[in-house]
Amino acid sequence: MKAARREFSPTPGTAAEARDFVRDTITEWGAEQTADDVVLLVSELVTNAVVHAESVLEVVVRRLPDAVEVVVADRVPERAVPQAGSLSVDTSPAADPGRSGGLGL
């Protein structure tokens, strides 16, 4: 399993830096087909962490056999949320939920 991690400060440019980090990492691993969806997810999670946690945050990207796992963690333990389990995103061409009424992310 490959993994990459990086810490970010809670500044306005953090989401863009995190997107670049994740896209570069995924491209380096040859998993470009999942990059757009993963980068979108990271952008949302990092933006939420910057706005709500206002602490240093860590982004971890792991290359699993059939998936890419991303963890965004802040340093505010009193705001921790219970684990909800894994989020799975189907990135196959047949899984276009767009306007067809699917669930999306």
Side-chain angles (χ1 to χ4, degrees):
M1 172 176 62
K2 296 179 180 180
R5 73 181 64 232
R6 184 168 162 202
E7 287 189 349
F8 296 91
S9 59
T11 62
T14 297
E17 292 173 22
R19 285 192 301 268
D20 290 344
F21 164 68
V22 170
R23 185 173 299 282
D24 292 347
T25 300
I26 290 172
T27 299
E28 182 180 311
W29 293 343
E32 296 91 350
Q33 69 277 10
T34 63
D36 289 340
D37 292 327
V38 174
V39 168
L40 174 63
L41 177 64
V42 166
S43 185
E44 292 296 320
L45 293 173
V46 168
T47 298
N48 285 342
V50 168
V51 170
H52 299 291
E54 300 174 348
S55 73
V56 171
L57 58 116
E58 179 180 45
V59 176
V60 179
V61 186
R62 292 186 187 98
R63 177 70 168 137
L64 305 176
D66 297 325
V68 173
E69 178 184 73
V70 177
V71 176
V72 176
D74 62 50
R75 301 274 164 76
V76 184
E78 63 271 10
R79 291 186 187 173
V81 295
Q83 294 262 337
S86 298
L87 170 67
S88 178
V89 178
D90 186 351
T91 60
S92 65
D96 179 22
R99 296 182 189 145
S100 64
L103 296 177
L105 287 177

